[in-house]
Amino acid sequence: MRVAIASDHAGFELKEKIKHYLLEKGVEVLDHGTHSPASVDYPDFAKKVVTSVLNGEVDYGILLCGTGIGMSISANRYKGIRAALCLFPDMARLARAHNNANVLVLPGRLVGPDLAFWIVDTFLTTPFEAGRHERRVQKIDEV
Ligand code: RB5
């Protein structure tokens, strides 16, 4: 599995922890930055991950900012992207099962590493249920 990850300065610390966690599990990680806690603009980093997802370079994207809100708004501007801000593992499960989310968004300032790892694991291992959800997701992508 290949995953693209990026954050702004507010998500940097947790992004690094998630990256190493995934690498240890054998997941291929494409790190689009940021590479330090210096202040940057989250839309620039959302664009990099979204591009990797849309061109098929990776299976999923992971984005982090302070709240996850700026990254969510930014990523969801791109057609074909279904970015889900998840605060609990169950949100990640349903984002995959029902929404076929292709980008996980996490709030770097609001969740600790252990919870974040659990959310990431849930997101990356839950399949899309399709069925009645297929039609709904198609309607989103038709907009
Ligand atoms: C940066 O201070 C903060 O605004 C950003 O990380 C994010 O939370 C925006 O939605």
Side-chain angles (χ1 to χ4, degrees), residues 7-12 34-45 109:
S7 72
D8 71 354
H9 51 286
F12 170 68
T34 187
H35 299 294
S36 85
S39 183
V40 292
D41 297 335
Y42 56 81
D44 299 335
F45 294 86
R109 286 178 172 155

Side-chain angles (χ1 to χ4, degrees), residues 7-11 39-40 42 64-74 107-109:
S7 72
D8 71 354
H9 51 286
S39 183
V40 292
Y42 56 81
L64 302 96
C65 62
T67 60
I69 294 171
M71 283 296 198
S72 302
I73 294 170
S74 303
R109 286 178 172 155

Side-chain angles (χ1 to χ4, degrees), residues 16 19 42-43 56 64 69 118 121 133 140:
E16 289 295 298
K19 179 177 74 179
Y42 56 81
L64 302 96
I69 294 171
W118 188 6
D121 281 340
H133 303 295
I140 296 170

Side-chain angles (χ1 to χ4, degrees), residues 23-73:
L23 286 170
E24 275 174 21
K25 287 169 76 88
V27 175
E28 279 187 63
V29 181
L30 186 55
D31 183 358
H32 282 306
T34 187
H35 299 294
S36 85
S39 183
V40 292
D41 297 335
Y42 56 81
D44 299 335
F45 294 86
K47 185 177 184 179
K48 292 170 195 273
V49 162
V50 157
T51 302
S52 287
V53 171
L54 291 176
N55 70 21
E57 215 177 341
V58 295
D59 301 293
Y60 297 109
I62 301 177
L63 287 167
L64 302 96
C65 62
T67 60
I69 294 171
M71 283 296 198
S72 302
I73 294 170

Side-chain angles (χ1 to χ4, degrees), residues 66-97:
T67 60
I69 294 171
M71 283 296 198
S72 302
I73 294 170
S74 303
N76 280 314
R77 289 292 175 97
Y78 295 82
K79 194 175 175 73
I81 290 296
R82 295 174 299 279
L85 172 57
C86 298
L87 307 180
F88 309 103
D90 233 29
M91 291 178 78
R93 181 180 64 79
L94 291 166
R96 287 287 312 126

